[in-house]
Amino acid sequence: MSGRLYYQPMQEVEAFCLPQFQTLDHHLQYNDGSKGSHFAVQNSYGQYCTLESSSAIGGYAMYNSPSTVTFSPNGSPMSQQESQSYPHDLRHSPDNAYGSPMSGSCITNDANDLRHKLRELESVMLGPDSDIIDGIDSVFQSGTNVGSPETEMDSGRQIIEAISRRDLKQVLVTCSKAVSDNELLMADWLMGELRQMVSVTGEPIQRLGAYMLEGLVARLASSGSSICKYLRCKEPASADLLSYMHILYEVCPYFKFGYMSANGAIAEAMKDEDRVHIIDFQIGQGSQWITLIQAFAARPGGPPHIRITGVDDSMSAYARGGGLNIVGKRLSNLAKQFKVPFEFCAADISGYDIQLDKLGVQPGEALAVNFAFMLHHVPDESVSTENYRDRLLVLVKKLSPKVVTLVEQESNTNTAAFYPRFLEALNYYTAMFESIDVTLPRDHKERINVEQHCLARDLVNIVACEGPERVERHELLGKWRLRFTMAGFRPYPLSSVVNATIKTLLENYCDRYRLEERDGALFLGWMNRDLVASCAWR
């Protein structure tokens, strides 16, 4: 869940459509040349990875090229010796990457099966010639480890037990730790087990696990960016994509919450102004501003003159089906309908490359700047010496805005190392998938498409990519506060009217959503997990 695509509602006025999804970032160029069902990429091992397309998301089949390294059926590297002794009875199959829930499961409660599994695990962990293999029967009988350190045996037991009780989350965590520690054979073995446990049509954790597993496989194959490009190539037509975005917008309140809180802060700050200039970084469809224009039209004493500068790039244009002129025309027609003096200015450039002279700020205007689900895509000091993230905030402060709105996911995936980042993403998106599950039935024919096209690419990017190619770089509000403070901003308290309006909004959704105000900011969460934070600055 991220702001690149700006989840905005279909509107009755000129049928405003939804924008593209956020992970279609400017770093990954769209490739129209790959239309078939396979997309081959070369990874760092000199092998080729083929992504098998399906109705949901492709499975992985690895094909060997001449090399001393081969790949297991689920895609991670292994030695030739291990490839020859790989336990085929685990039913690894690229054609069954994601079966129906628990179909073909290799897990049983039989003691002999558990003993067999433990043998396989020890072979992966310690090698096929390890003495511990000969001592497994003694282990089952006595409960003690024979021939190897006790900690190794305990670790193996815990893994087997997690698989036996189908604790998908624990197996995902264990697999990610193996990937983090470069324990490739262990990771490979666990990925084979995971493929029997995940399902894009199952429980929320099974569906999430399917995409997290794709990210792990991509990371091991050093093909994260290539997989993102593949997913881009398989992008649905604009009309279908916008339909998926609209479904997500309607079934979850996260984006409505963000836009309503930002608009409320702007309306409050501009209540006595005659000329209002709004700079919207990543304007998408511009649908956020429809309700604000209507609110200004009803303002006692008449509406102000409104000028909106829309900052955008080519990716949003793809989802829109055209350039910023489409947004300008629709908003202008709406303003005319409500008799609001209006002007639209297009800034067709990436937000963090923009210069002051591109924004067209004029004397006598009250300025508002909107950062809704956008700043986490701007590289900071951990990615570039330019530190575009802080640079953009300093630039905006020089404009002396009356209010600056910030809406971001409350997650910590920016500078975190791979393993804690994986844990954070797993926790965050578990809440997201659970909240979708409450509103959108599992047999809903479009649910898989919604999750694939609106969430999966984020997950693959967070898990598989590093450096400039990892564009999903969320920060917690505490870190954003430091950045805004260092740039010279002061908090702008949100109006109690905004809080009350959002509380009314949440009455239309499941009671497991919660709204909390802390330290001048609003947090929308699912149960005990904060998911979106909104605040304002001046």
Side-chain angles (χ1 to χ4, degrees):
M1 182 189 76
S2 173
R4 190 69 171 181
L5 269 186
Y6 295 95
Y7 303 97
Q8 297 169 348
M10 296 291 188
Q11 299 293 332
E12 295 181 359
V13 181
E14 295 231 0
F16 274 75
C17 55
L18 294 169
Q20 64 185 27
F21 193 66
Q22 61 274 16
T23 53
L24 311 188
D25 57 273
H26 66 279
H27 294 293
L28 304 176
Q29 300 301 314
Y30 189 81
N31 182 358
D32 289 319
S34 180
K35 300 294 187 181
S37 61
H38 294 77
F39 179 70
V41 296
Q42 187 171 14
N43 58 45
S44 62
Y45 291 91
Q47 308 297 318
Y48 286 84
C49 163
T50 299
L51 305 182
E52 301 279 349
S53 64
S54 69
S55 61
I57 186 169
Y60 292 77
M62 297 296 180
Y63 299 91
N64 298 329
S65 61
S67 171
T68 58
V69 180
T70 62
F71 281 83
S72 68
N74 66 22
S76 55
M78 58 197 303
S79 68
Q80 288 182 343
Q81 178 183 4
E82 286 297 325
S83 68
Q84 294 170 0
S85 62
Y86 190 84
H88 295 286
D89 62 328
L90 301 187
R91 289 187 286 278
H92 296 103
S93 170
D95 297 324
N96 189 30
Y98 303 118
S100 59
M102 301 306 175
S103 63
S105 175
C106 61
I107 305 303
T108 73
N109 293 322
D110 184 78
N112 290 328
D113 182 74
L114 184 59
R115 183 181 295 108
H116 179 64
K117 285 295 176 187
L118 190 54
R119 284 181 179 272
E120 292 170 353
L121 178 59
E122 295 299 344
S123 178
V124 170
M125 294 175 67
L126 302 175
D129 298 327
S130 173
D131 291 338
I132 192 172
I133 301 300
D134 298 328
I136 285 184
D137 287 336
S138 298
V139 168
F140 272 87
Q141 294 171 7
S142 65
T144 60
N145 192 351
V146 178
S148 72
E150 185 175 346
T151 54
E152 293 287 352
M153 191 60 178
D154 289 343
S155 175
R157 278 190 180 281
Q158 291 172 7
I159 296 172
I160 292 296
E161 289 173 359
I163 295 172
S164 298
R165 65 176 180 268
R166 300 183 185 183
D167 188 344
L168 177 53
K169 181 172 285 190
Q170 184 57 49
V171 180
L172 280 168
V173 169
T174 304
C175 186
S176 69
K177 187 63 166 64
V179 171
S180 177
D181 294 342
N182 206 32
E183 296 176 355
L184 302 183
L185 298 179
M186 173 63 75
D188 177 80
W189 190 86
L190 290 172
M191 286 177 181
E193 298 298 331
L194 284 168
R195 287 200 181 281
Q196 312 305 319
M197 302 170 71
V198 301
S199 170
V200 296
T201 60
E203 300 283 337
I205 186 60
Q206 290 179 282
R207 307 198 308 264
L208 171 60
Y211 302 121
M212 298 295 278
L213 177 56
E214 293 299 333
L216 289 171
V217 172
R219 185 177 184 88
L220 271 189
S222 302
S223 59
S225 61
S226 299
I227 288 176
C228 287
K229 291 177 182 179
Y230 164 81
L231 290 170
R232 291 271 312 283
C233 293
K234 305 301 290 186
E235 193 70 63
S238 294
D240 291 335
L241 175 60
L242 300 179
S243 175
Y244 304 149
M245 298 305 304
H246 177 63
I247 292 172
L248 184 61
Y249 182 94
E250 291 299 329
V251 300
C252 298
Y254 305 116
F255 309 104
K256 292 179 183 178
F257 159 78
Y259 297 139
M260 288 177 64
S261 58
N263 284 355
I266 293 173
E268 176 68 19
M270 303 298 179
K271 61 184 179 181
D272 297 321
E273 300 294 339
D274 294 327
R275 297 186 65 84
V276 174
H277 182 188
I278 300 171
I279 299 176
D280 185 4
F281 286 87
Q282 290 296 342
I283 194 170
Q285 306 308 304
S287 301
Q288 177 179 349
W289 308 116
I290 293 177
T291 56
L292 188 63
I293 290 173
Q294 294 171 335
F296 277 136
R299 193 177 73 172
H305 179 279
I306 300 175
R307 186 154 68 98
I308 294 180
T309 295
V311 181
D312 210 2
D313 59 25
S314 59
M315 292 300 96
S316 290
Y318 165 72
R320 252 193 325 264
L324 280 169
N325 60 301
I326 295 176
V327 179
K329 181 178 179 180
R330 288 173 173 169
L331 290 179
S332 295
N333 289 341
L334 176 69
K336 183 177 181 180
Q337 176 183 344
F338 284 91
K339 297 181 172 55
V340 175
F342 183 80
E343 181 182 356
F344 183 84
C345 300
D348 190 6
I349 187 172
S350 177
Y352 55 86
D353 288 333
I354 205 161
Q355 303 295 326
L356 288 175
D357 58 0
K358 299 289 186 179
L359 299 176
V361 177
Q362 299 176 2
E365 294 178 327
L367 180 64
V369 176
N370 186 59
F371 291 119
F373 302 110
M374 174 269 177
L375 276 177
H376 72 274
H377 285 125
V378 179
D380 71 344
E381 67 276 8
S382 67
V383 182
S384 169
T385 56
E386 296 292 333
N387 193 357
Y388 291 102
R389 191 170 292 191
D390 288 345
R391 174 187 174 274
L392 180 57
L393 294 180
V394 171
L395 180 147
V396 168
K397 181 59 180 175
K398 291 179 179 178
L399 299 175
S400 300
K402 191 161 187 181
V403 64
V404 177
T405 53
L406 173 70
V407 182
E408 278 291 347
Q409 292 94 319
E410 184 67 357
S411 183
N412 183 23
T413 63
N414 182 23
T415 58
F418 165 70
Y419 181 60
R421 186 169 77 241
F422 184 93
L423 298 180
E424 172 73 358
L426 181 61
N427 183 276
Y428 186 91
Y429 283 96
T430 294
M432 279 292 298
F433 274 67
E434 287 178 353
S435 67
I436 293 174
D437 198 63
V438 167
T439 311
L440 200 59
R442 290 177 200 170
D443 59 356
H444 193 289
K445 64 179 181 179
E446 300 293 0
R447 185 193 51 72
I448 292 178
N449 286 324
V450 168
E451 291 175 348
Q452 177 188 353
H453 295 295
C454 302
L455 298 176
R457 277 174 296 251
D458 277 7
L459 289 166
V460 171
N461 188 261
I462 291 171
V463 172
C465 298
E466 295 293 349
E469 290 183 331
R470 181 160 63 85
V471 297
E472 298 302 321
R473 293 179 169 273
H474 307 99
E475 293 186 322
L476 298 174
L477 183 57
K479 185 62 180 291
W480 289 119
R481 281 197 177 107
L482 288 175
R483 293 190 186 278
F484 273 78
T485 300
M486 288 189 297
F489 289 99
R490 294 178 294 118
Y492 185 99
L494 295 175
S495 169
S496 59
V497 176
V498 175
N499 300 5
T501 303
I502 295 175
K503 287 180 180 179
T504 301
L505 166 71
L506 291 183
E507 292 176 358
N508 299 317
Y509 292 88
C510 175
D511 59 7
R512 278 177 272 181
Y513 289 106
R514 61 176 178 79
L515 181 68
E516 185 176 351
E517 182 178 2
R518 299 196 305 268
D519 301 325
L522 283 179
F523 294 85
L524 180 63
W526 174 257
M527 300 177 67
N528 63 344
R529 169 76 204 213
D530 291 329
L531 292 178
V532 182
S534 178
C535 59
W537 302 81
R538 56 187 172 190

